Each structure stands twice: as structure tokens, then as C-alpha cells.
Amino acid sequence: MPKRRLPLVAAVYLGTFVALLDVSIVNVALPAMQKALRIDFGGLQWVVDAYTLCLSAFMLSAGLIGDRYGRKRSWLAGVGIFVLGSAICAFAPNLPVLLTGRVVQGIAGALLIPGALSILTQAFPDARERAGVIGGWASFAGVSLLVGPIIGGILVEMAGWQSIFLINLPIGLATLVLGAFSINETSHPEHAHLDLVGLALSIVWLGALTFGLISAGEHGWGDRWTLTTLILGVVGLIAFLVFEMRTPKPMLPLSLFRDVRFAVANVASFSLGLASYSSVFLFSMFLQQAQGWSPTQTGLRMAPIFVLQMLVSPLVGRLGARFGLTTVMTAGYAAFGVSMLGMCWAGPTTPYLWIGLLFALGGFGNALAVPSSNTAAMSYAPRERSGMVSAVINATRQSGTAIGIALLGALMSMRATSLLTGRLADAGVANPEAVARAAVFQHDFSASGALGEEGLRRLFTEAYASGFHAATLTAAIVALLTAALLLAVLVPAEARTARQAG
């Protein structure tokens, strides 16, 4: 790599680092936030989903902003806005202000994440060199996910949950300085048009669907607000797709999806967010709430996921050249699916050796799936539309993450509440459903009655583990079905392309 591009790569890597660091740190700090701000389980889901929802909803427009007004300008603006959002979160006195900061961070992340891939694509026109740099980018992202839970756990225990947001400020400022003098401005305004109606519809359908799924976990599928918002989400999605098909300059050019390879790559990206990215939320809650580990211990125990990502991601370019990119991608989804299937046997007293091995297998799967998915999708569209294509692949993944946190969290809380209610009724506890909901949603064990707080906690951990199994089984099914889809569609298509080229 030419030395003149080293500061550029450092800036882009750091920008992604700070955005993803916040995600991994927040997951470890959730129980501390729950206690300090008196947030229920649904509120915790929103702390994570407010960020991911804004990422996915604004990402398509953010990519077009970069293509139209300049990739450097929009990306640096994203860094600055992210720093501002982090400051709002750090000084938040209650949940509404915290969610406001998370929304600001999400909007900034929408500029940062697709902007990173677009800048790298423009700076490295050679396909092989670009694949290596994108692999390194994914590896560096893995570093942020690795150190995030560990640093986050230490910060939460030593300085409080607010410190996990304050750490973003110096990193963000350093990124601004590096990027300002190293990144060359590029744009292709003739290929970019801001679609404000499409943006509004995307916010409506994704926000309503996320709200409905989280509401289902709290109030059940038959609740009036749950049904209303779920229906609104589906109607909004249909309206969004119809509008994008009819408008002359859509923010999501559906014509790209005529290429079955691009369509399948985006389906895979969506399922990666739903099954894999959202699982970090599940792991953090399970290790702390069911197994009783501290934030620091939780961060250390989750490390194998990110260590494998950091070590394996840079090798994906060479593995893809040898075995085929889609074969590597398929293996990644299969490995992650098997790891989540194994989690269905993890309980409150399961030895860490078993869980750690499953974490390592899942991290290995992610290391194969993430960079190969990015590289494949970027190769299926014209280079001059790199900003938009990068935004699409990231938006589908973040949409999957937002829905995954809502859906898997709902499945976990519903299963845990139902099982705990039955156990409390068998134990003769008065008003068992209310006691169960207080334990699952507020982590409140004061109304234990004759069972005693320790007895209620024991039943809670068993029920929580059962809820965790319901969520991980769903994630496993999604990942394995995606691997089967890739094996049936993309692997043969890549083989045909290789034969024709030969």
C-alpha cells in the first residue's frame, strides 16, 4: 500500500472503530443503565435499537449524500455528529435524553459506515488490493468489538455507565484531524438524488415494525398497539417499495435487484444483521442476568467472538481467491448457525469452556461472512455508484439488526415470562404473572413472597436461559437457511462466471 494512503486508511478504520466501539460497549453496560435509570427490558431494547434503526433508515440517503455532495465532506460531518451524540448520551439524566443521543449517533453512523466502504472503494481501484483493505477494515472493526466489551466492563465498574460514551470524544476528534488532510474529495452527483419521500417511508415502516416487535415482547402478539404498529410497518414497507419502483430517481434503485446475485447478497446481509449482529445483545444479557457475571467478566468471556473476527477477516481475500468468495461466505453463515444452535444447550451453570468454544465458532463464521458479503455485493454493481451500493448493503444489514434485536428480544422475554409465571404458580406465589414480569422486565425480585428472593432468582435464571434458547434457536435457523440459499444460488453462479472467464 502506498504510504500516502496510510493516513487515509487509518482515518477510515478509526471512524468505523468509534462507531462500532459504541455498539459493543453499550451492550455490556445495559444492566448498569437499567439499574441507574430504572429502564425496563423494552427500554433496553430501544437503547440499542434507537441507534440501529436510525442507521438503517438514514443509510440509503447518507450514501447518496456522499455521492452527490462529496464523500469526504459527508463522512467528516458524520464523525463530528457522532461526537455530539456521544456527549448527549454521556450526560443523559433519563431514558428519553439517552435515546435522543442514540438517535443522533445513529444518524451520524449512517454517514460513517457506508462512507467508509465508499471511500476505500474510490481510493483502491484494484480489485485484489481493495479486497485486502476491506478485509483489514473488517478486521479492525473486529478489534473495536473485541476491546469494546472489555473496556466497557472496566469503565462501567470503575467510572459508571456514562464513561462508555465519553471515550468516544477523543477518538472522534483524532479521526477528524486525520481524515481532514488525508482523504481526497470525490463525488458523482449525476448518479445521486435525495429521495425525501422514500426516506420518510423507510423511517415509518422500519420504526413501526420495530416498535411492534418490542411491544409484542412486553404485551403479547394480541395487544392492540402491537397489532396496529405491526400492520403499519407492513403497509409502510409495501408503500415504500411501490414508491421506489415508480419514482424516477429513487434512493433505493430496485433495478439493481434484477441481478439475482445482488438480491441474494442483500438477503444474506439482512439475515446476518438479524441473526448475528443482534446476538451480541442476547449474549451480554444472558451472561450477566442468567449466569451472574459482572460487566468486566462478561466482556472478557465474549472476547473469543471478536478475537476470531480480528484474526480471520484479513485472510478472507486469499480464501476467496482460492475457494471462491461465495463458498467462503456460505461457510461463514453455516459456522455461525451451528454456533447458535449449540447455544440452545447453554444454561445458568454451563461451564465457560462450552460457551467459549461456541463464541469462537460464531466469531469465525462472522469473520468469513462479513467481509465476503461486503466485497461480493460491491462487485455486483457499477463502481461509480459505490456510495449508494455500500449504503444498500449496510442498510439491509442494519435493518436486520434492528428487527433482530426487537424480534429475538421479544421471543426471549416472552418465553422467560411465560415459563417463570408457570413456575411461580406451581410454587404458590400470589399474582405470579406480575411477579414474573417484574423479574424479567425490571430485574426486580422484591415481590418473591414465601419463595424468598434467592428462590425467585434461581427460577428467574432458569426461565431466562430458556428464553435465551428460544432466541438463539431462531437465529440459528435464519443463519442456516441463508447458508442453504447461498449454496443453491450464489455458489453455482460464481462457478459459471469462473468457467466463462476461463
Side-chain angles (χ1 to χ4, degrees), residues 6 49 57 102 169 203 216 240 253 257 274 281 293 329 345 395 419 483:
L6 286 176
D49 255 354
R102 294 291 283 165
L169 275 58
I203 294 172
F240 171 73
F257 289 84
L274 193 155
F281 171 82
W293 300 111
M329 194 191 316
W345 282 270
L419 184 60

Side-chain angles (χ1 to χ4, degrees), residues 445-467:
F445 303 98
S446 58
S448 56
L451 188 63
E453 187 170 319
E454 285 303 314
L456 177 56
R457 284 181 180 274
R458 178 178 55 80
L459 293 179
F460 163 78
T461 57
E462 294 172 358
Y464 208 86
S466 181

